[in-house]
Amino acid sequence: MEQQAGSLGERVKLDIGGHRFTTSRTTLCARESMLATMFSGRHQIATDEDGYTFIDRDGRNFHHILNFLRTGEIMLPETEAARRELLAEADFYQFTALLEI
């Protein structure tokens, strides 16, 4: 199933490597990134039968990405390994602003 991205306030359901998140298009498009491009409304977005868009990444740190989009601030994980994982995710999603922090 595919759907065209709708209004900015529309809820978006994401399945990031088995971790499920719900947010808005406004949040996903808040900063320049791959997510903003995906959900800009210019592309068809594949969803599963429950309406989730699957992204084949480890979802353990994705809440940091969402919080960054929501607030513009980042709460870095406590361990160095988790910080490296978050950096890899920021690179994958093309968050230049987050990479600079």
Side-chain angles (χ1 to χ4, degrees):
M1 175 188 295
E2 290 189 6
Q3 70 182 63
Q4 184 72 27
S7 70
L8 282 176
E10 172 188 2
R11 276 202 244 180
V12 175
K13 298 191 288 187
L14 300 169
D15 179 342
I16 312 295
H19 296 259
R20 291 188 163 192
F21 301 89
T22 302
T23 189
S24 69
R25 278 192 58 234
T26 302
T27 296
L28 293 175
C29 295
R31 300 187 179 276
E32 189 174 320
S33 70
M34 181 190 79
L35 293 171
T37 300
M38 283 178 66
F39 293 96
S40 67
R42 297 180 302 229
H43 304 283
Q44 292 286 324
I45 305 296
T47 58
D48 66 15
E49 60 278 355
D50 296 322
Y52 283 87
T53 298
F54 178 74
I55 299 176
D56 192 13
R57 298 295 292 182
D58 186 340
R60 290 176 297 161
N61 287 306
F62 191 73
H63 69 280
H64 292 294
I65 300 285
L66 277 181
N67 287 335
F68 174 69
L69 289 171
R70 290 172 177 144
T71 66
E73 298 178 9
I74 187 71
M75 295 289 292
L76 293 174
E78 291 186 22
T79 68
E80 181 64 28
R83 285 191 291 273
R84 284 194 308 268
E85 288 175 359
L86 180 58
L87 183 62
E89 295 307 297
D91 184 51
F92 174 79
Y93 292 111
Q94 302 172 0
F95 282 106
T96 305
L98 184 53
L99 289 168
E100 291 172 357
I101 294 172

